[in-house]
């Protein structure tokens, strides 16, 4: 991690010093152990604050839309897939973007780590590549990184960026497609699925953190914020309205979701949002043979039409 951090800093410094970019978007160390924060470096001196670690979970594509300046971004596989999707949708001008690709073996979930230390305060942490070393006032504990990794990282097939202007670090082995969680959900009866969704939606406080974290949710006005007409109630007490919000959000992401898991990570209530988004990802892949953000050539899955397409729905 330290070697890759140094490579990122040197690359960012060079780009800024040579005026090839006006801004480098990456990560800096957070104020607490196991915390990193999105960081914006505009000078070679500021680039010295950039880091790379297994806590760099945010999807930085969120900070790239509609920028007029020349921007470089430190991007892992899911970030790049979102960037590809946004380029196709006219939200990012590729000529104004320099992608510094970074292979990613997975990001760690602090909620799982907190559970592993039974909620004790972590005062220091280290990462030796395969294990996370945790230290507190009266304890020391080592956990395997694989055991505390985000679920979205465990099923990610695009650990390596699909496009980049410069690639730092060594490529990592790609994972095979794994939709075991979705298949288990599909195997439930209608009543069981309905009960599961109702239970999850009952947790929702309608904070919209999932919407704000998603790089593909960028409507200037979300349907839930409309008053005329009012499509949905404003109270989070309605399980039906909560489910409607998530259902519409997922349908809006059909053929666009890059399965980065940002929505679920952002949810303060621990709602299993990836079950809905990954279900749609799986369906689009099976029905249309399409995956979002894997290249710049393929048109979006739901933006295509073929004369041989079935039109049974018109009957």
């Amino acid at each position: 991690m330290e070697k890759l951090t140094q490579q990122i800093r040197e690359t960012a410094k060079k780009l800024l010093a040579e005026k090839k970019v006006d801004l480098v978007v990456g990560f800096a160390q957070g104020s607490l152990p196991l915390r990193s924060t999105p960081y914006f470096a505009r000078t070679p001196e500021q680039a010295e604050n950039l880091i790379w670690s297994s806590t760099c979970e945010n999807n930085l594509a969120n900070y790239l839309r509609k920028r007029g300046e020349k921007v470089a971004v430190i991007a892992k596989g899911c970030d790049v897939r979102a960037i590809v999707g946004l380029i196709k949708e006219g939200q990012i001008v590729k000529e104004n973007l320099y992608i510094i690709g970074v292979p990613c073996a997975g990001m760690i979930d602090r909620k799982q780590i907190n559970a592993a230390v039974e909620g004790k305060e972590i005062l220091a942490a280290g990462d030796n590549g395969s294990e996370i070393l945790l230290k507190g006032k009266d304890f020391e504990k080592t956990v395997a990184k694989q055991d505390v990794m985000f679920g979205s990282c465990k099923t990610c097939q695009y650990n390596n960026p699909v496009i980049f202007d410069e690639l730092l670090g060594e490529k990592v082995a790609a994972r095979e497609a794994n939709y075991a969680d979705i298949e288990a959900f599909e195997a439930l009866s209608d009543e069981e699925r309905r009960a599961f969704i109702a239970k999850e939606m009952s947790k929702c406080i309608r904070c919209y953190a999932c919407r704000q974290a998603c790089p593909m949710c960028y409507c200037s006005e979300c349907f839930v914020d409309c008053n005329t007409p009012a499509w949905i109630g404003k109270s989070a007490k309605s399980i039906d309205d909560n489910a409607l919000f998530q259902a519409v959000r997922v349908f809006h992401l059909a053929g666009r979701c890059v399965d980065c898991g940002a929505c679920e990570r952002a949810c303060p209530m621990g709602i299993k949002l990836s079950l809905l988004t990954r279900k749609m990802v799986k369906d689009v892949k099976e029905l249309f043979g399409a995956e979002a953000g894997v290249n710049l050539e393929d048109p979006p899955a739901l933006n295509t039409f073929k004369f041989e397409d079935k039109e049974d729905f018109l009957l």
Side-chain angles (χ1 to χ4, degrees):
M1 292 293 182
E2 291 182 6
K3 180 180 178 181
L4 191 50
T5 290
Q6 193 57 40
Q7 287 179 309
I8 288 172
R9 290 173 178 172
E10 291 173 358
T11 301
K13 287 178 184 178
K14 183 178 180 182
L15 289 171
L16 290 166
E18 296 177 355
K19 306 295 184 183
K20 291 184 177 180
V21 300
D22 304 305
L23 169 70
V24 177
V25 181
F27 292 93
Q29 181 61 50
S31 57
L32 295 172
L34 299 178
R35 291 276 184 175
S36 63
T37 181
Y39 185 76
F40 303 84
R42 294 185 178 275
T43 67
E45 292 74 24
Q46 290 176 344
E48 188 63 31
N49 295 321
L50 292 167
I51 67 162
W52 184 259
S53 73
S54 53
T55 66
C56 298
E57 64 198 57
N58 300 75
N59 193 322
L60 296 184
N62 261 321
Y63 303 101
L64 305 178
R65 295 192 301 272
K66 301 297 184 181
R67 284 189 174 272
E69 56 199 335
K70 184 76 173 179
V71 180
V73 60
I74 315 300
K76 51 192 179 291
C78 53
D79 299 7
V80 171
R81 289 184 64 194
I83 289 169
V84 169
L86 292 170
I87 290 173
K88 290 181 179 182
E89 295 179 6
Q91 298 298 308
I92 294 175
V93 178
K94 177 63 176 72
E95 290 69 29
N96 289 342
L97 184 66
Y98 190 93
I99 301 174
I100 304 170
V102 180
C104 175
M107 296 291 148
I108 56 174
D109 182 355
R110 288 183 299 276
K111 293 178 182 177
Q112 295 187 52
I113 289 177
N114 286 336
V117 299
E118 299 178 336
K120 296 177 182 177
E121 183 181 10
I122 299 171
L123 300 177
D127 183 349
N128 65 14
S130 61
E131 296 176 320
I132 305 296
L133 314 175
L134 307 168
K135 294 183 180 180
K137 184 177 180 180
D138 55 357
F139 75 91
E140 289 189 13
K141 187 178 181 67
T142 300
V143 296
K145 188 183 292 187
Q146 180 66 28
D147 293 341
V148 292
M149 196 179 296
F150 283 111
S152 57
C153 295
K154 292 179 180 180
T155 58
C156 178
Q157 303 171 60
Y158 295 94
N159 316 67
N160 303 298
V162 293
I163 65 168
F164 50 83
D165 294 289
E166 185 172 355
L167 184 68
L168 304 181
E170 300 293 329
K171 287 188 175 182
V172 296
R175 300 182 181 89
E176 295 184 0
N178 183 352
Y179 292 101
D181 55 337
I182 306 303
E183 291 167 355
F185 180 71
E186 292 172 336
L188 298 176
S189 67
D190 291 347
E191 292 75 15
E192 289 172 324
R193 287 198 296 269
R194 190 177 298 111
F196 178 86
I197 291 175
K199 180 181 178 181
E200 292 297 296
M201 291 303 105
S202 68
K203 305 174 188 176
C204 181
I205 57 175
R206 205 84 68 75
C207 64
Y208 302 123
C210 52
R211 179 187 68 184
Q212 299 307 112
C214 176
M216 307 308 293
C217 281
Y218 56 79
C219 290
S220 57
E221 183 180 35
C222 180
F223 83 101
V224 299
D225 298 325
C226 295
N227 290 320
T228 309
W231 299 101
I232 189 172
K234 302 302 181 183
S235 172
K237 294 181 179 179
S238 171
I239 293 176
D240 289 342
D241 279 347
N242 294 345
L244 176 61
F245 163 59
Q246 291 298 341
V248 173
R249 194 180 74 84
V250 169
F251 276 116
H252 279 181
L253 291 170
R256 303 173 62 242
C257 176
V258 298
D259 201 11
C260 68
C263 56
E264 186 168 305
R265 291 197 299 272
C267 179
M269 305 308 292
I271 299 173
K272 191 68 175 173
L273 296 172
S274 63
L275 198 65
L276 302 177
T277 55
R278 279 174 51 76
K279 166 63 175 168
M280 184 60 72
V281 168
K282 178 175 178 287
D283 285 351
V284 168
K285 189 173 182 179
E286 292 177 350
L287 293 171
F288 304 105
E291 292 182 276
V294 297
N295 62 60
L296 287 169
E297 290 73 39
D298 293 342
L302 301 188
N303 283 25
T304 61
F305 174 79
K306 298 178 182 178
F307 284 106
E308 60 268 26
D309 283 347
K310 294 182 179 180
E311 298 183 348
D312 298 344
F313 62 93
L314 295 176
L315 301 178

